[in-house]
Amino acid sequence: MWSSVLPLLVTISPALLFLPDHTNTQDEHWQDYKYGRQQDSEVPDKKSFCSWKCLLFTLQWPGAFCQSLDEPSLCKIPQNVNNWTIHGLWPLRVRDCCKCWPMFKSDVQDLEAELQEHWPSLLQSHPSFLFWREEWIKHGVCAACVEGMNSPLRYFQLNLKLRAQFDIHKLLEVADISPSCERPYKLSEVHQALAPLLGEKLQIQCVTDDQEREVWFQVKIPLSHNLTVGCDHHVDADPPHPPHGHPCHPQTPFYYFPIDHQQPQTPCG
Ligand SMILES: *[C@@H]1O[C@H](CO)[C@@H](O)[C@H](O)[C@H]1NC(C)=O
Ligand SMILES: *[C@@H]1O[C@H](CO)[C@@H](O)[C@H](O)[C@H]1NC(C)=O
């Protein structure tokens, strides 16, 4: 066995001597994230890594995810998904995040069961790991300049913690707001139920389904750098995140659809 491996090592190692210069820079950036040394001015764009002030923590309601897609037949709701799930945790108004921190399955191995339940991909074609990796590369890497988020494992752990902390299900239950095909809810009553825990600045988002019903599908919770609830940011500065929704209208009651694993596209006919 060794006789087949050794020649391979020998043939690879000379190539290492000729790695292009920019790997050095990339390596420095990586170290920068790892140790959070963003104040160091040696690397010119270092400061911009951690220039963001606010994060958006976004939870989605699987019962309306299909309705949020242009092509509703592409969705799925796994049997173990019965609750509000994580969409993402996004630093706002970031510039130039380093794209140099890859993520592997082994990084989140210990969290996999929890993530499958609380941060599933609801797209048929998309394994959950791909969803997580996209979120890490697009957003996690930008958040990783802050202690407690500075690795894939910590970032995903923190997301799970936030989800547990913002127990939307329970807040709604207390306010007697439950999924229903018959009863639409007013924005004011939902806002009133959630704001004590999620802050006055929370955003409640709807989509319009193919029967022109307004349907609740997402909640965005602004957080400060230090993860306290509420942060001043301009809504128009939000990065566009498909699926696209809109703020639920104050004057138009909206539906909170039940989750239907068998017919996720038409939980209410
Ligand atoms: C949803 O999650 C909350 C805790 O976050 C739990 O109390 C509740 O039972 C869950 N609901 C379902 C239907 O699993
Ligand atoms: C967190 O940050 C906000 C905004 O910068 C600040 O007002 C608040 O006092 C901080 N809270 C803690 C516990 O550090």
Side-chain angles (χ1 to χ4, degrees), residues 77-202:
I77 309 178
Q79 286 299 329
N80 63 335
V81 173
N82 291 294
N83 227 319
W84 285 83
T85 60
I86 300 166
H87 184 177
L89 178 63
W90 312 320
L92 293 176
R93 314 189 91 178
V94 287
R95 292 175 285 160
D96 310 326
C97 287
C98 173
K99 302 280 184 237
C100 54
W101 195 340
M103 172 178 161
F104 302 95
K105 276 197 170 150
S106 55
D107 288 329
V108 290
Q109 207 171 351
D110 295 345
L111 303 177
E112 172 143 14
E114 265 185 286
L115 290 173
Q116 289 289 6
E117 181 180 351
H118 299 304
W119 200 337
S121 162
L122 301 177
L123 286 175
Q124 278 173 19
S125 60
H126 224 64
S128 290
F129 177 72
L130 279 190
F131 183 26
W132 306 333
R133 193 172 62 185
E134 276 168 16
E135 291 291 320
W136 166 253
I137 288 173
K138 261 203 276 183
H139 308 289
V141 165
C142 309
C145 60
V146 169
E147 189 178 5
M149 293 194 267
N150 60 336
S151 73
L153 179 63
R154 290 197 195 124
Y155 179 72
F156 286 92
Q157 259 167 347
L158 181 80
N159 270 276
L160 290 170
K161 225 167 103 184
L162 290 173
R163 192 212 65 91
Q165 179 184 333
F166 300 127
D167 191 345
I168 295 187
H169 179 88
K170 192 146 155 228
L171 294 170
L172 295 173
E173 199 170 55
V174 169
D176 203 19
I177 298 172
S178 56
S180 164
C181 290
E182 281 83 44
R183 192 190 147 185
Y185 295 96
K186 283 196 274 208
L187 178 61
S188 56
E189 79 189 293
V190 171
H191 190 273
Q192 206 168 23
L194 300 183
L197 190 65
L198 311 188
E200 285 297 323
K201 295 193 171 132
L202 87 150

Side-chain angles (χ1 to χ4, degrees), residues 57-60 84-86 163 166 168 217-219 221:
F57 182 56
T58 301
L59 293 164
Q60 61 189 8
W84 285 83
T85 60
I86 300 166
R163 192 212 65 91
F166 300 127
I168 295 187
F217 89 112
Q218 197 156 259
V219 170
I221 307 164

